[in-house]
Amino acid sequence: CLTLNPRLPDCRLLRPSLSPTTPCPNKPCFLYPVSASPCPALGSPRPAAARDPHAPPLFSRSRTGLFFQAQPQLKNPFLEDPLLGRYLRRHLPHQQAVFSDLQAFGERISDEVDAWGRECEVNPPRLVPFDPWGRRVDHIVTSPAWQRMKELSASEGLVAIGYERSCGEWSRVHQMSKLFLYSPSSGLFTCPLAMTDGAAKVIQSLGVPPAVDSAYRRLTSRDPERFWTSGQWMTERRGGSDVAAGTETLAEPQPDGSYRLHGFKWFTSATDADMTLTLGRVVGRDGSIPPGSRGLSLFYAEVRRDPQGRLEGIEVQRLKDKLGTRQMPTAELLLDGLPAHRVSEGRGVASIANMLTVTRIHNSVAAAAAMRRVVQLARDYATRRSAFGRRLQDHPLHLQTLARMEVEARAAFLLVMEVSRLLGREETGVASPLDRHLLRLLTPVLKLYSAKQAVAVVSEGLESFGGQGYMEDTGLPGLLRDAQVLSIWEGTTNVLSLDVLRCVARSSGLVLQAYFTQTQALLGHASRLPPLAPAVGALEGALSALGVFVEEAAARPPSYLELAARDLAYSLARIYMGQPPHVV
Ligand code: MFK
């Protein structure tokens, strides 16, 4: 009874130093008041209070007891997150409009949208490949809630805000703040939004033919009737990391200048999208197929049906059976003459680089948001749940665990906002060379680290609900399943760690120079606050160790740095977030 396990048979086994006459410090002793034998510490068991013989039984077949645990409540996620409010108050010039927008949206999320998200989870999409008479129809049937999410995304401007730019260079911060509130309640609709945003960005940056230009207006529309979502069909059966080696899709030129695509796309997410950007290799007049990364072209295709209701040039092979993200249709697609327009000739990987940047930032927003949501619920639960005679919030160890989760959630949030700020500056033409280098370096760093943080923090968060965190109908396990994909799609941790090395090499080290300049400047600001002195000292030490490591690594063979790539990326993330790394 002196430890946390009251079922062990004898106090003395747990604490041999306890003599039979020592009073038990645990009051009442968990074991002996109900035991037949006397507790060596407390003496004889207390006599049970006499019960009224006419009172109804406390437990019987018809009664299940009187206690029911109060469940955690989702409140307005904007008002519940003081850090978001503080960050915006500190930085944003157009505060009032943004605050009103986020507060109203937060209200909507807790009042209605969160329930739609749950509906998407319990009513996942299904494929109807044939009609009753055997004709192919390839219908992906989604829940009404999923369709409402699309209307909501348009009317709330979840993509549009980034392109209207009414907050100037802070527009991306506004947009990502809104997505940050929305993500854990969105039923994964943030996935099609990420790809839609990425596609809009690519189209905008490439400057493209009129057919594609009208698609751009739809992708960035606030009108639910006009709004389109986009897919990003990049992964084929050979895999999704080495895009150049993995892309076998062929593009057959047509007399009118368009193309027909033939290939097999192995993972296509949010396959109910209205259009897609995808990669393929243009077949030459002599039948030649251009190899490698430079042989890849980028294509725009609409997902349309012919007058008979058949998908034009697409067969949906099957929906994927996934660990999480079940709310969202992910399919294998056979492209069988899909009509398409080429939007970039060769240099396909470089053409989608903008999309990679945008979708990786969205991924990180989802990671930070998952952490914020689980911490918010766990904190609320700690005020409602009692154990060992106290509410969870009054147990110092529980509070410490919540505090550690909170620190991780805040660190991820601040880095997400920093990279969103840099993107906004780049898009509005006010970015300095330092901003541009930081954006290139910090995007993969943020994505890879926040995804790992999300899995760890959400897992810890589930534990803080005990067994209830493991029960499907609480909605909590879905948070963990959905977090697991964040480190896999849009570039795995190792692929992104190597991307960090690649951008260091291609910039001749300028991205790292920018990193050191910026972190030193940030530490300079922080050092003016005396309570931060120990943290600043630790970070300065880590930064200087990182500098030594980089110098030494530059003198070694490339394989040395390759092996250190993950640790290097983690260190870059942790120092920028203000958390001294475990390894430099
Ligand atoms: C919903 C269901 C979920 C189911 C589970 C998930 C299943 C997985 C689903 C997926 O597969 S999602 C897709 C995941 N795949 C990726 O995100 C791609 C990951 N791989 C990379 O990011 C590689 O680094 C990359 C493909 C980009 C490497 O390809 P290459 O051909 O070796 O590119 P290279 O030569 O490094 O760069 C080509 C050009 O692109 C260069 O430009 P220049 O030619 O002008 O020099 C690069 O600078 C540029 N570039 C590459 N990465 C860039 C970039 N530019 C900016 N930012 C970047 N990140």
Side-chain angles (χ1 to χ4, degrees), residues 2 26 40-41 55 83 90 186 196 251 259 398 406 425 458 464 515 529 543 547:
L2 296 177
N26 220 357
L83 183 63
R90 184 162 174 186
S186 71
T196 302
Y259 292 82
H398 191 75
E406 176 73 34
R425 285 178 66 76
V458 173
S464 72
Y515 176 89
L529 295 169
L543 198 59

Side-chain angles (χ1 to χ4, degrees), residues 234-235 240-241 243-244 267 269 293-294 322 325 328 330 347 349-350 353 356-357 360 440 485 488-491 495 499 502 506:
M234 220 157 65
T235 303
S241 295
V243 172
F267 285 116
S269 283
S293 184
R294 290 185 180 273
K322 296 170 287 178
T325 70
M328 177 186 60
T330 301
R347 296 184 40 76
V349 170
L356 296 179
T357 300
R360 286 170 185 172
R440 177 65 183 96
V485 83
I488 297 176
W489 66 18
E490 306 305 338
V495 166
D499 187 48
R502 215 177 353 226
R506 291 213 170 138

Side-chain angles (χ1 to χ4, degrees), residues 69-244:
Q69 175 61 50
Q71 68 184 68
Q73 297 292 325
L74 177 67
K75 299 175 195 145
N76 182 329
F78 178 61
L79 298 179
E80 288 294 299
D81 184 357
L83 183 63
L84 172 58
R86 274 212 300 277
Y87 177 88
L88 297 176
R89 234 188 308 278
R90 184 162 174 186
H91 294 288
L92 235 64
H94 312 275
Q95 282 175 13
Q96 200 42 53
V98 173
F99 268 64
S100 309
D101 185 39
L102 295 179
Q103 183 165 341
F105 189 49
E107 209 62 44
R108 242 187 128 178
I109 287 171
S110 51
D111 285 354
E112 55 180 350
V113 177
D114 192 60
W116 303 350
R118 186 79 193 124
E119 198 183 321
C120 293
E121 171 92 26
V122 297
N123 190 4
R126 65 192 167 84
L127 173 65
V128 178
F130 299 102
D131 77 2
W133 307 101
R135 292 185 191 88
R136 272 207 93 98
V137 286
D138 296 291
H139 273 300
I140 295 175
V141 182
T142 54
S143 68
W146 179 258
Q147 290 149 33
R148 280 201 294 275
M149 292 294 190
K150 186 175 179 186
E151 291 159 20
L152 174 94
S153 301
S155 60
E156 292 286 347
L158 294 178
V159 176
I161 291 170
Y163 295 86
E164 292 163 351
R165 298 195 183 141
S166 51
C167 290
E169 65 181 279
W170 293 98
S171 299
R172 285 292 188 179
V173 165
H174 176 197
Q175 179 199 13
M176 296 304 164
S177 300
K178 215 165 171 180
L179 286 162
F180 174 73
L181 301 178
Y182 177 51
S183 176
S185 297
S186 71
L188 250 284
F189 204 82
T190 43
C191 172
L193 293 182
M195 294 184 293
T196 302
D197 196 349
K201 172 90 178 158
V202 167
I203 294 173
Q204 190 187 54
S205 59
L206 290 177
V208 284
V212 186
D213 189 50
S214 88
Y216 169 78
R217 287 199 296 276
R218 285 180 175 276
L219 299 177
T220 55
S221 172
R222 280 184 184 255
D223 177 358
E225 297 290 315
R226 288 185 52 75
F227 180 59
W228 272 6
T229 57
S230 177
Q232 165 206 311
W233 301 349
M234 220 157 65
T235 303
E236 304 194 5
R237 273 201 290 241
R238 284 177 186 272
S241 295
D242 186 354
V243 172

Side-chain angles (χ1 to χ4, degrees), residues 246-263:
T247 304
E248 295 177 307
T249 295
L250 298 181
E252 212 186 342
Q254 303 298 301
D256 64 356
S258 69
Y259 292 82
R260 295 257 173 190
L261 302 184
H262 300 268

